Amino acid sequence: MRHGFSVDLRGIIDLLGRHLYPSPRAYLRELLQNAVDALSARPPADPRILIRPPSVTGDGSLHVLDNGIGLTEAQVHELLATIGRSSKRDELGFSRQRFLGQFGIGLLSCFLVADEVEVVTRSADGGDTVRWTGHAEGHYTVEPAEPRDEPGTTVVLRPRRGSEHWLSDATVTRLAADFGSLLPYPVRVGDRPVTAGPPPWRAEYADPRARREALLKYAEETLEFRPFDVIDLNVPAAGLTGVAFVLPTPLPASARASHRVYLKRMLLGERVEGLLPDWAFFARCVVDTSELRPTADREQLYADDLLEETREALGAQLRAWLVGLAATSPARLNGFLSVHHLGVKALAVHDVEMLRLVDRWMPVETGDGDMTLAEFRRRHGTVRYAPSVDEFRQFAQVATAQGVGLVNAGYSYLAEILNRLPLLDPEIEVRRLDPAELATRMDPLDPAAEPAVQRFLEHARRALDRLGCEPVVRAFQPVALPALYLAGHEAVRQAERRAAAESADGAWADMLDGLDGIAGAPPPEPARPQLILNHDSPLVRRVVALTDPLLVRLVVEALYGHALLQGHHPMRAADTAALNRSFLGLVEWAVHDNDAEDDR
């Protein structure tokens, strides 16, 4: 046996208020939408929408009138009394493109602010004027009404207790201006017009500079900032036109970009997300579209293939603006990059044209100062980079002194950008700096100093052997740096494997032991970090001349700990113990020498 669904209208209204419409303010947008669709269905000679607030009606009610197509009595029964039924679909259920409404639930939003909704309508196709009155309890009445002078519809709302402010003059005027300022039909609240004509980007100007200034002023009034620049947007497939305003101040990449979107010139939302690619967070858009679909709450855009295509098209237009800026106005481009470098770098990770722009125009930090990557390659050929800021600060001065160019890739996206540079030219060589490479570029010692250095190194090796480090004496700049801790990539990998093996047991430990060599073969020679002592440093020259084994051990351990701290290297328990031991030992040595001096 077949049965129909029974609908609890109060439950539906509660569902709409709590989960679909984010605010009761949606009721006026839905009323404007119905009025616009009625005018679109059969435009009269002088189309108009009139809103009469309580100050005009005098009885606390709100009237919304249009002189559109109206409804017959049969249509009133069919459309107003069936939840989800809409006249704005064709026989296959698809929405008719010239209408704003699609879901057949718009009139229910009025029950968010009123317990009773009255609709007085007369059809342009003929018939008498009828009055439909819907009640929140779930019933409605239809009866003849006083004849209207012309076809059209009037909706009357009387606020429920506690909702009076939603129908007040000030609220209604503000909502009508927000939602309907760009509508193609004149809208008035009482005697006050709220429509402002066509969208500002479609207005006619004889002088392009006047148009630009008008759009900048529009952004100041609407978005509350004066843009860095204005970019025209146009996506015919989505029926989309509008402008993107480039923000004058930086925003974090994690900030969610939102835009002001109109649907057939009715405001969809002021914080619509997903219109631009994620990397384009430096722009805020104001657009009007006729083909993109809204979500059921009419606050966001429905995610479908057309929205994805539109997003890609708008991203391409923003990218073209950046490329054009580089070609025509390098000074303005530099101004833009100084503010929005993060967004451009994010794009360069995925886009070759933006990679080329970053390579030519965006300064990066290097050991030789700030310069573009293109200039850096002209100076040094190979692009070597430090993957972290700490590593760059540790090695930049030393690398530069040895003639090794070094780029600081410790900032967002820069390492990925550097590794993509060969896409611009296969001849470009990019390498992460291996700290061990710096030792091979340092100057050898004067043969006359070798004997004293060798005696010193014998004591230094014994001091550092238990710390897993090899002492080396070289001459390098700057002389103010007495010691440098260098751990090559292989040394770091072996140290990580040893630490993992020490903390593992059973099968995991056996597997990690197997990484050090093939079974039955001798283990590879361990790669040890090096403590490079700078023979050009006056302090190190005095240290090398020491002959007391205990004092040499204390001084070498102190230099080792200092080099670790200077390079922001992690300190193991053994390293901390050695640093403490050397500090206390040197203090004791100094006190002992002072006591001996006093005795003399």
Side-chain angles (χ1 to χ4, degrees), residues 456 479-483 534-546 555 559 562:
F456 165 79
V479 297
L481 184 65
N534 186 2
H535 199 260
D536 283 347
S537 167
L539 174 61
V540 172
R541 286 178 181 269
R542 294 173 62 188
V543 169
V544 168
L546 296 174
V555 171
L559 290 173
H562 180 265

Side-chain angles (χ1 to χ4, degrees), residues 426-494:
E427 298 296 321
I428 297 176
E429 184 179 1
V430 179
R431 293 211 311 261
R432 175 180 172 177
L433 175 71
D434 187 344
E437 181 184 356
L438 291 178
T440 64
R441 291 176 172 263
M442 294 176 179
D443 296 333
L445 297 182
D446 186 340
E450 284 285 352
V453 169
Q454 290 303 322
R455 288 192 299 270
F456 165 79
L457 285 176
E458 291 176 9
H459 300 303
R461 286 193 184 96
R462 284 194 289 271
L464 295 181
D465 186 63
R466 55 186 160 182
L467 298 173
C469 186
E470 180 72 19
V472 177
V473 179
R474 291 285 187 272
F476 61 89
Q477 297 294 318
V479 297
L481 184 65
L484 181 67
Y485 180 86
L486 295 182
H489 294 163
E490 183 58 30
V492 171
R493 283 192 289 268
Q494 290 187 14

